[in-house]
Amino acid sequence: GSVVASYPYDDSPTHRLTGVYSKSADDEVFRYLAKAYASHHPIMRTGKPNCPGEEGETFPDGITNGAQWYDVEGGMQDYNYVWANCFEITLELSCCKYPPTSELPKEWENNRESLLAFIEKV
């Protein structure tokens, strides 16, 4: 897990594991939507999720192009974009994939304003 808003494409023509910006035709729209979410999230907007084992990982403005972060062939957001014209971003909301129940109120507070801002944009 991490704390970042990722946008298409997740796959790249070279299939290098990381570091390839794979720009879609609607890159500006995807960046806009990802930034709308990230800019309202208290951790995501810093671009420094500080996840255990990945303390040096950074994401400018709290967003990333999927393939630039890591290449995923056959991902759902790419498939839906290409074949259904459905615009999706992927939200990584926590360093922990399954946070304990006791942390859920904090996670809600971290994401509430981001969700509202995102809904307003779409």
Side-chain angles (χ1 to χ4, degrees), residues 74-86:
M76 183 63 92
Q77 76 179 5
D78 288 1
Y79 178 86
N80 285 338
Y81 174 57
V82 171
W83 298 106
N85 199 32
C86 180

Side-chain angles (χ1 to χ4, degrees), residues 14-69:
T14 62
H15 303 298
R16 281 190 21 220
L17 295 180
T18 188
V20 177
Y21 194 102
S22 191
K23 186 176 181 178
S24 74
D26 295 292
D27 191 70
E28 287 182 38
V29 174
F30 283 119
R31 289 178 54 81
Y32 176 76
L33 293 173
K35 206 171 194 178
Y37 194 97
S39 67
H40 290 85
H41 190 286
I43 298 167
M44 198 179 292
R45 72 174 164 231
T46 70
K48 298 175 185 175
N50 201 28
C51 293
E54 300 289 338
E55 290 85 0
E57 188 170 59
T58 60
F59 303 101
D61 296 322
I63 68 174
T64 188
N65 173 261
Q68 187 169 25
W69 184 19

